[in-house]
Amino acid sequence: LYLEGVTAPQRAALEAALPGRFRFFEARDDADYIYSVESFATLSGKKLHGKRNFCNRFETAHDWRYEALSPAGFDDCRSLLQSWDAEKNGGNAEENEAIERMFQYWDGLGMTGGILYADGRPAAFTAGERLGSDTIDVHFEKAPDDLPGAYPMIAREFARHLQKDFPEIRYLNREEDMGIPGLRKAKDEWYPMFMI
């Protein structure tokens, strides 16, 4: 028997019911990264100065705008995803299918997100859904490699959008890194509050 996602109280209950029968370990590759919305919205402090610099350069180099994601922007997201897939030698078919399902059932799923434009073209998009009363689970975030600063910009602007339209949201769950070294590095560079 293999159980995943066991919380501390569940572990205690299992230990009490069946002492010594289970071996417990953390699966680091599956741990979600939890951040404060405030840190993403402000990029304040020494640790995030690199992200702030990327955003400043992006703002200077491009005529940009951010919009809340809605069905009107789905085709722009698809176009961006197609370019992203070409950069990545085909992308991830399962993820693309999940994104299409998200678009198809957007309202019913209660999704929220944003799209970033630079010089009239889609530059990045992100989308997630509410987890409980104070957290957004960010499922998707895409930007092309040839547009430096697009990732920090979409992350910052989405956090600002949440602060404005959903002030009760305090945390971003930016999910796990799946043990992918580049993804782990990227998530660590945002300095999570904690892992779960």
Side-chain angles (χ1 to χ4, degrees):
L1 175 64
Y2 180 84
L3 302 172
E4 290 187 15
V6 176
T7 64
Q10 292 167 335
R11 177 181 179 163
L14 285 168
E15 282 287 351
L18 301 164
R21 300 283 303 272
F22 287 93
R23 182 172 55 92
F24 296 93
F25 60 92
E26 287 190 18
R28 172 69 168 81
D29 296 351
D30 298 326
D32 286 356
Y33 291 72
I34 309 300
Y35 307 86
S36 77
V37 170
E38 178 74 17
S39 70
F40 271 61
T42 63
L43 301 178
S44 64
K46 194 173 187 177
K47 289 181 178 178
L48 296 175
H49 79 279
K51 304 294 183 194
R52 221 173 22 255
N53 288 343
F54 269 116
C55 289
N56 290 340
R57 285 193 297 267
F58 187 94
E59 290 176 305
T60 300
H62 303 284
D63 177 23
W64 68 277
R65 75 181 192 281
Y66 171 90
E67 295 178 4
L69 189 55
S70 70
F74 292 170
D75 283 342
D76 286 339
C77 293
R78 287 181 182 106
S79 170
L80 178 63
L81 187 59
Q82 194 171 32
S83 300
W84 193 88
D85 285 347
E87 287 177 0
K88 307 295 182 197
N89 298 319
N92 182 322
E94 288 178 1
E95 183 179 50
N96 292 351
E97 184 180 325
I99 291 170
E100 275 304 320
R101 280 197 315 266
M102 175 188 68
F103 290 158
Q104 184 178 359
Y105 299 108
W106 181 261
D107 291 328
L109 291 171
M111 302 297 290
T112 188
I115 186 165
L116 178 71
Y117 293 90
D119 306 318
R121 73 175 180 129
F125 76 89
T126 190
E129 67 180 313
R130 187 183 293 260
L131 281 179
S133 62
D134 62 359
T135 304
I136 291 285
D137 186 0
V138 179
H139 293 304
F140 306 106
E141 188 175 83
K142 299 291 180 188
D145 289 339
D146 69 346
L147 204 52
Y151 275 112
M153 281 292 292
I154 191 66
R156 185 192 75 182
E157 292 304 305
F158 182 54
R160 289 178 176 181
H161 163 192
L162 292 174
Q163 284 185 318
K164 179 177 175 274
D165 293 348
F166 305 96
E168 69 281 8
I169 299 297
R170 296 177 44 216
Y171 304 104
L172 296 169
N173 178 335
R174 292 181 54 91
E175 299 184 342
E176 71 281 351
D177 61 41
M178 301 172 290
I180 300 169
L183 192 53
R184 179 167 293 179
K185 181 179 183 293
K187 289 177 183 283
D188 281 338
E189 287 175 352
W190 284 94
Y191 299 94
M193 293 174 66
F194 57 90
M195 309 286 287
I196 193 167

